[in-house]
């Protein structure tokens, strides 16, 4: 066996206005042709580099033969993906959208085929055949319907790097879809909506009192099936205030008609389980909206149509 | 709930000769006082920054309120740790050592207490009480006995960021310990030895044909108990050639007297399971040593004393 198909690191600069230490150049892999610039139609500067990754340090004395990088960042229009190479699904996907970007136009998901993400090393990709016959849906983390400014932007959510196995009936097509719709409607109450979504692997207690995490892996590439999914939602009010809500839903059929408030959790619960602090740049002075008198709180309530 | 205890990012430069985009400054947390410079006694330049992490990009338009960082790099004497905040154990720990650094001297592990790693956010720490009464050993990833140049260097392997739950009898105290001893003895055949060690979570097939990953989590902090551990070993010959071997061992009692060759696996197996490419900086022209005629191959064989 030889060391074929490995990454080649070349030190360089990348990005506009983004501090990035090294650029990743793939050897023997397709370039990520479909990763396009972050559009600036919501008034944000274009400031990303194609195919950048969480920057590994340059040669360290203890690591003279390369940095064992755990994953890659994918910069796509209006969403960023942290990909988990071991689980073959995202760690998280963070989106930014507003009333304009979610508006139904001429874009149509029927013209969006799912695509293998060839910017990922073949060892760590998930592909269509992993899902076929598995019984699970190819569930979007960044929802296609949030990204309707162009067919190309919508297409960018169909890379398998944005997909995780979801229970179809009762979850992806129902409760989770309802949550996605709720978050989209928040664009009517907030000038910008920021959402981070991702998988969780939560333990259950066994009869002998031990806490066990148990999850299926599907397909030749052993794609992990999360036990739960989360969404952390930030709304920016017209006055510039920020309100936060967090949800955790089990990846299983959920009885119809349940209000979303049943899945509302403290942000801390998501953060401890995911191993990530979300929106840590939000100053403490901003109100944290969790639950007020059994209602969603803030401007969130009036958007829950269930 | 407020957003207390969160990280504060400050853009800055850090490190000597290392390209690092941002430096991590902790707010309300203890500085990592015990992280000291990588010593250069094996002829390598000192070139690291204290408390740096996998560099999150500066503010991205899609992430205006901070980067949800998945983990942290810990730079310790002769070893580097990639910590998994969700699992509360390392993703991997990579060590460099030679005949000098493994030589028994006046250092003694009896004087090395286990320590909470306060450079980790409290949400994601593992602590002594998580292990107490769990039935699992506090297993080192970078072995204490590899780092004997000073009591301080040995002590640096006793942070819980370098620890994972291991079965004691038959594994940590036996088969795994035997593997560690083997790797240490390689310093007699190679001028430098580089080792990456870490946990794996491998699936098993259920009676109905599904592939399931199942693992325990222990303690209040839900520290993950790996199903397996790996080691990837690189030896540098006096002529500068590099030889690689990879091992996977199940985290369970292993019958005594098994030769290490029973746990030898292709590097690719470790990489696919861990989601990481190891030693990718090693040029393809160097021989990859896996198994030759039922022997360990290269200079490895004569070191297997079992």
């Amino acid at each position: 066996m030889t060391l074929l198909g490995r990454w080649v690191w070349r030190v360089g600069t990348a990005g506009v206005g983004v501090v990035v230490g090294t650029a990743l150049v793939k050897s023997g892999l397709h370039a990520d042709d479909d990763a396009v610039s972050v559009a600036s139609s919501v008034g944000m500067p274009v400031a990303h580099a194609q195919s950048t990754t969480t920057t590994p340090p340059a040669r360290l004395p203890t690591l003279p033969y390369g940095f064992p990088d755990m994953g890659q960042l994918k910069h796509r229009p209006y969403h960023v993906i942290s990909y988990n190479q071991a689980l073959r699904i995202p760690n998280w996907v963070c989106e930014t959208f507003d009333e304009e970007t979610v508006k139904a136009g001429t874009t149509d998901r029927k013209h969006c085929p799912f695509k293998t993400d060839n910017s990922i090393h073949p060892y760590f990709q998930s592909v269509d055949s992993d899902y076929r016959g598995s019984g699970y849906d190819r569930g979007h983390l960044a929802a296609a319907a949030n990204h309707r400014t162009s067919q190309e932007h919508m297409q960018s959510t169909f890379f398998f790097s944005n997909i995780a196995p979801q229970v179809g009936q009762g979850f992806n097509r129902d409760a989770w879809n309802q949550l996605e719709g709720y978050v989209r409607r928040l664009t009517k109450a907030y000038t910008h909506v920021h959402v981070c979504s991702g998988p969780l692997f939560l333990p259950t207690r066994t009869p002998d009192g031990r806490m066990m995490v148990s999850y299926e892996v599907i397909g030749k590439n052993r794609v992990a099936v999360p036990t739960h999914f989360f969404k952390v939602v930030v709304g920016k009010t017209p006055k510039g205030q920020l309100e936060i809500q967090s949800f955790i839903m089990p990846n299983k059929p959920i009885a119809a008609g349940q209000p979303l408030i049943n899945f509302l959790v403290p942000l801390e619960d998501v953060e401890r389980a995911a191993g990530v602090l979300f929106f840590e740049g939000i100053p403490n002075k901003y109100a944290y909206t969790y639950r007020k008198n059994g209602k969603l709180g803030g401007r969130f309530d009036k958007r829950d149509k269930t």
Side-chain angles (χ1 to χ4, degrees), chain A residues 230-289:
Chain A
F230 69 83
K231 272 192 193 292
V232 180
V233 189
V234 169
K236 188 175 184 180
T237 72
K239 286 188 176 171
Q241 284 187 306
L242 301 168
E243 297 175 343
I244 306 184
Q245 281 193 332
S246 314
F247 300 87
I248 294 179
M249 277 189 179
N251 187 19
K252 65 181 189 186
I254 293 169
Q258 286 206 50
L260 292 175
I261 200 169
N262 290 2
F263 303 99
L264 209 56
V265 297
L267 176 59
E268 181 180 331
D269 289 6
V270 178
E271 293 185 321
R272 285 184 183 271
V276 183
L277 300 179
F278 291 101
F279 301 109
E280 50 173 331
I282 293 182
N284 290 358
K285 65 176 178 174
Y286 286 101
Y288 172 72
T289 304

Side-chain angles (χ1 to χ4, degrees), chain A residues 26-69:
Chain A
K26 271 87 60 189
S27 170
L29 298 170
H30 301 290
D32 188 359
D33 296 318
D34 295 279
V36 300
S37 292
V38 172
S40 56
S41 65
V42 292
M44 299 179 300
V46 174
H48 84 293
Q50 195 180 41
S51 296
T52 52
T53 178
T54 41
T55 310
R59 294 283 178 270
L60 291 166
T62 314
L63 298 169
Y65 305 114
F67 181 85
D69 189 33

